[in-house]
Structures are given as structure tokens and as C-alpha cells.
Amino acid sequence: MLEVDCSIMTPAEVLKTSGHVEKFADWMCKDTKDGSVMRADHLVEAVLEARLEGDALARKMAGVTINCEASPAAVAKTDAKKNKKKGGPIAATKLDDAVIEEYKFILAQIDNYDGKGLADLITKYDIRNPDTGNAVTAPAMFNLMFESSIGPSGNLKGYLRPETAQGQFVNFSRLLEFNNQKMPFASAMVGRSFRNEIAPRQGLLRVREFTMAEVEHYVDPKNKDHPRFDEVAHIELPLLPSQVQLDGKTTPIMTRIGDAVTSGTVDNQTLGYFLARIYLYLMAVGIKHELLRFRQHLPNEMAHYATDCWDAEIKTSHGWIECVGCADRSAYDLTKHSAYTKEKLCVRENLPEPLVTEKLVCETNNKVFGPKLKRAAKPVQEYLESLSDADLTSIQSALSTDGKATVVLSGTPADGEYDITPDMVTIEVRTITEHVREYTPNVIEPSFGVGRILYSLLEHSFNVRAGDEQRSFFSFKPAVAPFKCLVLPLSGHPSFEKPLQDVARRLRVGGVPARVDDAASASIGRRYARNDELGTPFAITVDFQTADDGTVTLRERDTTKQIRASIDEIVELVKCLVNGSTSWDDVLSKHPLVNTSTNNSTA
């Protein structure tokens, strides 16, 4: 895998060629009175969800009134904090069962609606601005890219990149050369991207500037098998295929990724391999399995460049959030850039045996072709050479029966209709022997939204101690914790200084990021607690016994259990715990617990 770093400012022609200028857009609505803007699908989703919550509240209030002495007003007061919803205040209004099912069916496939579909929903269900109660306009397309100009003249238009992928695609030839022309291979980039969001909100979840990590894995379109697929084929993923969503359901199905590829639910092995690796990564950093699903894009939702796409969605307090996308971009981008620049972005592969084929070929008679078509000669010739056998057969038939064939050019400097006569071209079947196969690679792209993953991890890792809600902590795994180990003395006694610095030095030399908390004015319990709030997984404590026998205690954050051993052994244990070669359960099975009540310290 080759790591690259590409320009943030992207010339307009690059993004026009890739389709972003025309198609990289969301549907936007405006308040008809105050002019405030909203993303149309989010508006419909928020309002319908608020109505469903209002129904649940109304049913709950009715149940409480019957079964206990509490009044509906008391229940409403109890749930007041829950009524703050992006879809507006939740009114306790009971809905018919049929309406509830209808709302749920719409929400299950909300991403599948286009502009007209969203407009119909807004009209049918009287969707209004939840903040003002005003009607909204019909959805209109809004391009999400930040436009700018390049150079002092301002004549060269550009955009801040909406993704890191295009910089990698336009450098494909250099990357292939650096990889010694070998396939398959991948390029990767971590960097900032920019999108002019209609309604940024929810902290790190929807912002206009964010960090992306994208991998572009280039594969042979005739062979999308992955050599390491067998390593992950047994892994079960919570999959939500598009057909399940279209049926109005949102419950993921636990499926072995090998079975998903075999059945065609996931298009190919390489796409399946990366879905499994994404799952393993999210589990490794600390995302909760039960709050993760892989949702397949619906037909109307699919990006203009994708043939299949899955999102790793993580459930947070804001609902299901798309955090990682994994798309099969086929050969879309490389083909488009190659056609625009007239430079081949392809792979040449020597064949083990020559490949002999018969192909219909169109050859131009330049003595007649050029003078008749003048400046259109080259575009027409390129057009004829790009036609399939079926199209060439149609032209050949027209030439023989009508004495001419008409071709239509679009998207070229010489757009228009041109007549081709038999004296201008020769179309015939020829035997072609190929020693080298030339093809445009397909691209499988995992794309990580770093900020969204971080936010989800913060939510999933936040905990409070049983019986004491004031004692909160982050249960970060050692791999992602900012500090891996806390080193602290029991008190400010002078005899603790030398072993304290010795332990800290050994951890630094061992590559373990550690933090020394020698603020002896605070109790040992308070210092444990404030470092638990930072998510530090382990703590080494120097106490009076250290001066006697050279031992220290090691405390684990989540269980607050402690063991005692020599400084050498404890430092080695921390290194093994941080790199994942051992677990805390393994440590406890080999070392007796320390009774903290008799050890001059506290959990």
C-alpha cells in the first residue's frame, strides 16, 4: 500500500470530469417565510421520528394514568428532557397503527428518495420547519463543494477537494510505475476534505471541514478475488441489504462474509474482504458490536461512481451515523480522467499465450475523410474507433443500404451530426493477435470519517461507576488511549522520587506513553479518578513497600483491581498489555490481587 499526499485545491476540470460538479449535491428546502435552509431528507426524517416519539409518549401517558396515580402532566414533566428533538417539540399525539407502519416504512428507506419523492412526502404528510411551523419549499439540488479561483487572474476555477480520492486517481500512472507495474496494489491517504453542508450540526458528526482516511485498492476487473479472503470469510457481520430496507425493515442480519459473497449480497471477494477488515478495525478501537451495522446503499442513494456500496453505521445518541463507506467504484474515475486527458490510465499485462480474436475494425481513408470533415475529422475518427462491434455493424449496414451513415457527437469541440459515406471508411472483420492485455483497473474504496469514528468511540466508551454516578470514566482500549499508563506516588514522601522517575523512564524507553501525576496534595483515590476520566487504562503506584522490596502495584481502570510485583515485571506486563500480547484476565490468573484496604491505597 502506497501512502500519498495530494493537493487540497483541485482544478475544476478534474472534478467536472469525475462528475462531482454535476452530481455531488444534496436536496435542500427553504422556510417560505424566514428563508432558513434545511436538508430535505433530514427534515422529513426528523419530523416523522418526532411524531413517532410523540405517539410513544401518548401511549405511555395513557398507560401510566390507568395503572398508577401519576397524572399525564406528571409523566410529561418527567419526560421533558427527552422532548428536545431536532424534529421539534414532541407532542403527545397518538397515531393510528397504520400510520405508524407507514412512517416506519418511509424511514427504513429514507435515503432512497429523490427530489420528487421527498417533495411528495413533504406535501402528503404536511412536513414543516419544526422550529417555526412554517411551510417549506420543494427540494432543490445544492452542490456541496466550496468553489474558489486559482492564481491572480481568477480565470482558473477550482474547488476545495470534497474527497481525497481524485488526487490519487490522477496520479495513478505514477503510482503504478512506483509499484513496478504490479497488480493488484493500493494507495492510501489521510487528509482534510471540505463539503459545504446545508445544515452542519451535531459536533463532529456533520461539519464542513473534516479528516478522511481513504484507500484506493486497484484490481483486475476480470478477477476481483482477494488472496487473503479465506482469513476473514468466517467472520459474521450485521448486514442490512438493500432489499431488506426496501421491504421496510431495519433489523440487520448476522451473516458470514463468505456466505454474503457467495450469495451475491456482497458483490465480490475484495469488497467483502475490506468490509470484514473494517469490522475488525472498529472492534479493535472499541466500538460496541451491538451498535454497529453494515447498510447497503439503496438504488437512488448510490453515488454516481459506485456499482455497490456499503456503509458501516454506528448507533449513537444521534441515531445511526455513517462512519465508514466501502464502495466498488468500478473503473469509473480512471476511465473518465483517461477520456478527458487522452492519456491511458491502464495496466499492460503480458499474456502467457498470444490471444487471437476476430474483431470488427473501422479504418478511415484519410485522403477523403480529412478534407470532408475538416476540424471534426479527429473527433469523428475517435468516436468511430470507440464503438462496439454492434454499433459498427449498424453503421456498416447503413452504408451498404443507404449509401451513408450519420454519427452524432456530443461533449466534444465539434458537436453535431456528420454524414459518413462508403469512400470515407472501411469496416471489416480482422484477425487480431494480442501479446499484451491492456485493461483499466477497477477500484475498491474503503473511506473512513475519522471525526465520526472518534465521536462514536467517545460515546461508546463513556461509563460511570456502579453506585456512584459522579465517578465517570472512559473505557478506552490501550491501543487508542492517549496515555497508556499513569505513574504516581502514594504520597509526597521524598523516598518515592527515585523509584517514580525510574518507572517513568523505563516506560518511555519501552515506547509506552505514560503520565506522571505527582500532585501529592490530592488523595490517591482522587488521582486515580481524574485519570480514569482521561481513559488511562493502567496505573503504577509507588508506595512505602517499594522502598522495602522494590515492588509496585499495577491497577486496571475498568475493574479497579490491583496486583503487586517487581518494577521489572510490572513494566514488562504493561508493555504486553498495551501491545495486546496479553490481557488483564491473563494477568489476574497469574498474580494474586492486592487488598487495597490494607495497602495504604484505594481503588
Side-chain angles (χ1 to χ4, degrees):
M1 186 176 292
L2 310 176
E3 184 177 1
V4 297
D5 188 13
C6 304
S7 172
I8 287 175
M9 182 61 72
T10 307
E13 293 304 315
V14 172
L15 293 169
K16 183 178 179 181
T17 303
S18 68
H20 284 76
V21 171
E22 179 183 357
K23 299 177 181 178
F24 196 73
D26 280 335
W27 294 100
M28 177 185 71
C29 289
K30 283 187 178 182
D31 188 301
T32 54
K33 293 185 178 179
D34 68 11
S36 58
V37 296
M38 294 145 281
R39 185 166 149 177
D41 57 336
H42 288 176
L43 172 65
V44 174
E45 184 178 25
V47 170
L48 295 188
E49 285 181 347
R51 291 178 184 177
L52 288 175
E53 291 197 18
D55 171 79
L57 179 59
R59 291 171 187 260
K60 180 179 178 181
M61 290 168 61
V64 170
T65 303
I66 294 171
N67 298 322
C68 70
E69 296 179 359
S71 66
V75 176
K77 184 176 180 180
T78 302
D79 291 340
K81 291 183 179 179
K82 298 180 182 179
N83 290 355
K84 294 179 179 179
K85 183 79 174 175
K86 60 187 178 182
I90 299 174
T93 305
K94 189 173 183 298
L95 303 173
D96 291 338
D97 291 343
V99 174
I100 292 174
E101 291 304 315
E102 197 170 344
Y103 283 180
K104 289 181 178 179
F105 182 83
I106 293 169
L107 291 172
Q109 51 178 315
I110 188 65
D111 294 313
N112 196 39
Y113 289 96
D114 57 12
K116 183 180 183 303
L118 291 169
D120 292 341
L121 292 177
I122 289 171
T123 301
K124 180 177 180 179
Y125 297 105
D126 191 26
I127 305 292
R128 295 173 175 267
N129 184 346
D131 295 328
T132 64
N134 298 331
V136 297
T137 62
M141 292 290 280
F142 175 77
N143 192 281
L144 298 177
M145 293 192 297
F146 284 102
E147 185 177 335
S148 184
S149 57
I150 301 173
S153 68
N155 294 331
L156 180 59
K157 189 163 71 170
Y159 295 93
L160 298 181
R161 66 184 181 206
E163 61 178 15
T164 66
Q166 298 306 318
Q168 299 180 61
F169 294 142
V170 297
N171 284 292
F172 172 76
S173 294
R174 292 186 178 91
L175 294 169
L176 181 63
E177 180 182 4
F178 190 86
N179 202 52
N180 296 319
Q181 308 294 327
K182 293 181 180 179
M183 286 285 292
F185 76 99
S187 61
M189 180 175 170
V190 179
R192 306 293 275 182
S193 294
F194 307 83
R195 297 182 184 180
N196 195 9
E197 290 286 350
I198 294 170
R201 59 175 182 266
Q202 300 170 346
L204 293 173
L205 297 183
R206 191 161 296 282
V207 292
R208 291 188 170 117
E209 177 182 348
F210 53 94
T211 300
M212 296 183 75
E214 292 188 305
V215 176
E216 310 302 333
H217 186 88
Y218 306 96
V219 297
D220 185 338
K222 292 186 177 181
N223 181 17
K224 292 187 179 181
D225 291 347
H226 196 283
R228 295 173 57 189
F229 183 72
D230 288 343
E231 298 176 15
V232 301
H234 66 282
I235 296 175
E236 288 192 348
L237 303 186
L239 300 182
L240 186 58
S242 58
Q243 189 55 54
V244 174
Q245 300 170 65
L246 292 173
D247 291 339
K249 301 175 183 177
T250 58
T251 303
I253 303 168
M254 293 303 300
T255 310
R256 291 173 68 252
I257 193 63
D259 295 338
V261 171
T262 301
S263 66
T265 303
V266 174
D267 188 67
N268 56 76
Q269 281 192 9
T270 300
L271 183 61
Y273 173 79
F274 279 109
L275 289 177
R277 289 297 302 270
I278 290 167
Y279 172 81
L280 293 175
Y281 164 74
L282 294 175
M283 292 298 99
V285 300
I287 297 301
K288 293 182 178 178
H289 168 82
E290 65 273 17
L291 299 179
L292 172 67
R293 71 182 184 188
F294 288 82
R295 187 182 67 82
Q296 188 176 29
H297 280 206
L298 297 167
N300 283 338
E301 178 192 7
M302 197 79 71
H304 61 276
Y305 50 74
T307 59
D308 192 14
C309 186
W310 294 77
D311 286 341
E313 296 184 335
I314 302 173
K315 193 170 187 179
T316 70
S317 58
H318 297 285
W320 288 101
I321 304 299
E322 169 200 346
C323 293
V324 187
C326 194
D328 184 340
R329 299 181 73 125
S330 64
Y332 177 88
D333 300 275
L334 294 178
T335 300
K336 290 291 185 181
H337 289 303
S338 179
Y340 180 83
T341 61
K342 310 304 180 187
E343 295 289 335
K344 288 187 176 181
L345 299 176
C346 62
V347 176
R348 294 172 180 85
E349 183 181 87
N350 290 325
L351 296 173
E353 295 181 2
L355 180 64
V356 180
T357 58
E358 290 190 345
K359 186 177 181 181
L360 203 58
V361 176
C362 179
E363 184 176 325
T364 58
N365 180 359
N366 293 331
K367 291 183 179 180
V368 180
F369 196 85
K372 279 193 175 183
L373 297 179
K374 298 182 172 56
R375 69 182 186 92
K378 187 174 181 180
V380 173
Q381 182 178 359
E382 291 175 349
Y383 172 79
L384 292 172
E385 290 174 350
S386 69
L387 293 177
S388 65
D389 283 4
D391 292 332
L392 285 176
T393 300
S394 298
I395 291 178
Q396 187 181 38
S397 175
L399 290 174
S400 61
T401 56
D402 302 332
K404 68 174 183 177
T406 302
V407 300
V408 180
L409 298 186
S410 61
T412 72
D415 287 355
E417 294 186 358
Y418 298 92
D419 289 334
I420 307 297
T421 55
D423 61 331
M424 297 169 65
V425 296
T426 300
I427 300 175
E428 60 184 7
V429 176
R430 292 186 180 176
T431 300
I432 297 176
T433 302
E434 296 180 72
H435 297 274
V436 176
R437 178 186 168 220
E438 189 175 276
Y439 65 89
T440 302
N442 280 199
V443 178
I444 309 297
E445 179 196 68
S447 177
F448 298 77
V450 177
R452 292 185 173 190
I453 296 173
L454 175 60
Y455 176 83
S456 301
L457 178 61
L458 290 173
E459 276 206 14
H460 288 201
S461 301
F462 182 79
N463 294 279
V464 294
R465 298 290 181 198
D468 188 357
E469 293 188 358
Q470 298 303 312
R471 295 181 63 192
S472 60
F473 65 98
F474 281 110
S475 57
F476 293 139
K477 293 196 174 184
V480 298
F483 292 103
K484 315 301 182 187
C485 189
L486 168 70
V487 183
L488 72 168
L490 180 63
S491 66
H493 196 278
S495 64
F496 296 157
E497 181 62 24
K498 186 176 179 180
L500 185 74
Q501 296 303 322
D502 181 42
V503 172
R505 180 188 61 79
R506 294 189 189 202
L507 290 173
R508 286 197 301 273
V509 171
V512 178
R515 180 173 185 266
V516 176
D517 188 344
D518 56 1
S521 59
S523 69
I524 187 73
R526 185 175 295 276
R527 281 180 283 158
Y528 281 150
R530 68 191 180 194
N531 283 279
D532 289 347
E533 291 176 344
L534 297 176
T536 306
F538 307 107
I540 298 175
T541 306
V542 175
D543 56 18
F544 289 105
Q545 191 173 335
T546 307
D548 296 335
D549 58 12
T551 62
V552 292
T553 63
L554 175 63
R555 173 185 182 270
E556 196 268 341
R557 173 202 59 222
D558 294 355
T559 63
T560 72
K561 293 179 179 180
Q562 299 186 33
I563 65 165
R564 178 176 286 277
S566 67
I567 291 177
D568 289 341
E569 187 175 359
I570 291 294
V571 169
E572 284 303 312
L573 280 176
V574 170
K575 289 163 64 175
C576 292
L577 287 164
V578 168
N579 65 31
S581 60
T582 191
S583 68
W584 183 245
D585 287 338
D586 292 335
V587 172
L588 291 181
S589 69
K590 300 174 183 177
H591 296 81
L593 290 176
V594 171
N595 187 346
T596 56
S597 62
T598 61
N599 192 51
N600 298 321
S601 62
T602 180

